[in-house]
Amino acid sequence: MSTVLVTGGAGYIGSHAVKALRAAGHAVVVYDDLSAGHRAAVRGVPLVEGDVRDAARLEAALRRHGASAVMHFAGLLSVEESVREPARYYDHNVRGGLSVLDAMRAAGVDRLVLSSSCAVYGNPVATPIDENHPTDPINAYGGSKLAVERALRDYGRAYGLQSIALRYFNAAGADPDGDLGEDHDPEIHLIPRALDAARGGAPLRVFGDDYPTPDGTCQRDYVHVADIAEAHVRALDAPAPGDGARVYNLGTGTPHSVREVIRSVERVTGRRVPVEAAPRRAGDPPVLFAAAGRIERDLDWRPAHTALDDIVATAWRWHERHPEGFGPTTP
Ligand code: UFG
């Protein structure tokens, strides 16, 4: 078993991946600047505080802990913000990604699992979206992820880097054991916002109800965070790709509209979700859902949580037990 350095391991998806890695017997070191992650989400493993754009610090952490692989989650994640502030996204996500690759080369580490996104596809020309779908991002978030994926291909050919990029659709839900969950500040994602509205918070704003979809609201493929974490472990434990860089979609293959999510939250919580109509949000494609057959075939991965109500129920449990999340983001 290897030691894995997990950037962004104090964040939402990263912390679930750390838990899954430990359950699979891997040693882990978390590298996180705690700008969005939470110290309290890092349990039982060392935490190195640092910015991913600091390649020297990363290299030192890789060497000190004898890491033989990296999972790279750290980065900015708001589609809407990326449209307004592309420079920040290219800086954190692309410069950060290249810095991780530089540090790995310098330390002689040649295995990487990258947190990527279905945002690399842009507006779908066909659904469900498989990995051969054209990549034409419509926002800087997707552009920044695609740029790093491209680098992986080139680094694989030239330097022998073995990488797997996982393009997730919409990460959702929380650790079924109730230890970990989603705690962003500000919270931008649909399910936690709808849960908050159900608990008496601000009404949920529905961003656009005139999309070309059956009920006019956007459709997304919600995939459970524990299933995403499990896919990372499988990607890491798989034989080296050999051909350098691979990409896999992570989704359930079933689209759900914003209105369907609201109804699910109402069923699960037994409360009404007050809603408000709001304009479309910049950078939102109308419909995104995955064909995830490639990872099922190659890595024998399929989601354990497929029912939307089940995904929402894990998020609700976390939300109810941790109304303040993990607490303040800074120590
Ligand atoms: N939405 C609302 N109201 C809200 C929040 C969201 O109507 O308050 C809608 C959005 O417009 C979208 C859907 O709910 O149609 C889902 O929105 P999220 O913000 O939860 O998720 P996104 O689909 O925008 O983004 C997520 C991840 C990104 C990733 C993207 C890929 O946050 O990192 O999926 O589609 F790139």
Side-chain angles (χ1 to χ4, degrees), residues 121-130 132-136 285-288:
Y121 296 115
N123 275 323
V125 294
T127 50
I129 300 170
D130 70 16
N132 295 319
H133 186 283
T135 47
D136 187 14
V287 178
L288 292 170

Side-chain angles (χ1 to χ4, degrees), residues 12-13 77-80 115-122 124 129 139 141 166-174 182 184 187-193 207 217-229 232 248-258 261 281 283-292 301 303 305-308 310-312 314-315:
Y12 171 44
I13 304 174
L77 54 68
S78 161
V79 166
E80 185 267 341
S115 161
S116 189
S117 167
C118 66
V120 299
Y121 296 115
I129 300 170
N139 50 61
Y141 171 75
L166 298 176
R167 295 173 171 169
Y168 342 134
F169 284 64
N170 284 57
E182 187 167 12
H184 294 117
E187 185 52 76
I188 58 169
H189 296 107
L190 177 61
I191 292 174
R193 276 190 173 178
F207 298 139
T217 64
C218 287
Q219 293 178 314
R220 294 287 183 271
D221 183 339
Y222 296 91
V223 52
H224 197 277
V225 64
D227 287 324
I228 293 179
H232 282 75
Y248 292 111
N249 283 343
L250 286 186
T252 65
T254 306
H256 291 288
S257 71
V258 172
V261 169
R281 194 173 64 174
D284 270 350
V287 178
L288 292 170
F289 67 105
W301 176 89
H305 303 265
T306 49
L308 182 59
D310 170 28
I311 294 173
V312 168
T314 61

Side-chain angles (χ1 to χ4, degrees), residues 94-260:
V94 180
R95 199 148 74 86
L98 297 180
S99 159
V100 169
L101 297 185
D102 286 345
M104 289 175 66
R105 279 184 69 206
V109 176
D110 66 355
R111 296 253 349 206
L112 175 72
V113 182
L114 174 74
S115 161
S116 189
S117 167
C118 66
V120 299
Y121 296 115
N123 275 323
V125 294
T127 50
I129 300 170
D130 70 16
E131 292 85 352
N132 295 319
H133 186 283
T135 47
D136 187 14
I138 60 166
N139 50 61
Y141 171 75
S144 69
K145 291 288 181 185
L146 186 59
V148 178
E149 282 194 12
R150 289 253 157 89
L152 296 186
R153 230 166 41 192
D154 296 332
Y155 280 48
R157 270 196 293 262
Y159 310 131
L161 176 74
Q162 300 291 319
S163 69
I164 293 184
L166 298 176
R167 295 173 171 169
Y168 342 134
F169 284 64
N170 284 57
D175 173 26
D177 300 336
D179 294 338
L180 300 166
E182 187 167 12
D183 179 9
H184 294 117
D185 183 20
E187 185 52 76
I188 58 169
H189 296 107
L190 177 61
I191 292 174
R193 276 190 173 178
L195 291 172
D196 187 57
R199 282 172 52 94
L204 178 75
R205 303 177 69 219
V206 175
F207 298 139
D209 57 9
D210 58 351
Y211 282 99
T213 59
D215 68 16
T217 64
C218 287
Q219 293 178 314
R220 294 287 183 271
D221 183 339
Y222 296 91
V223 52
H224 197 277
V225 64
D227 287 324
I228 293 179
E230 171 61 23
H232 282 75
V233 175
R234 282 180 192 235
L236 185 83
D237 289 343
D243 47 0
R246 282 210 193 150
V247 299
Y248 292 111
N249 283 343
L250 286 186
T252 65
T254 306
H256 291 288
S257 71
V258 172
R259 285 200 206 291
E260 286 174 325

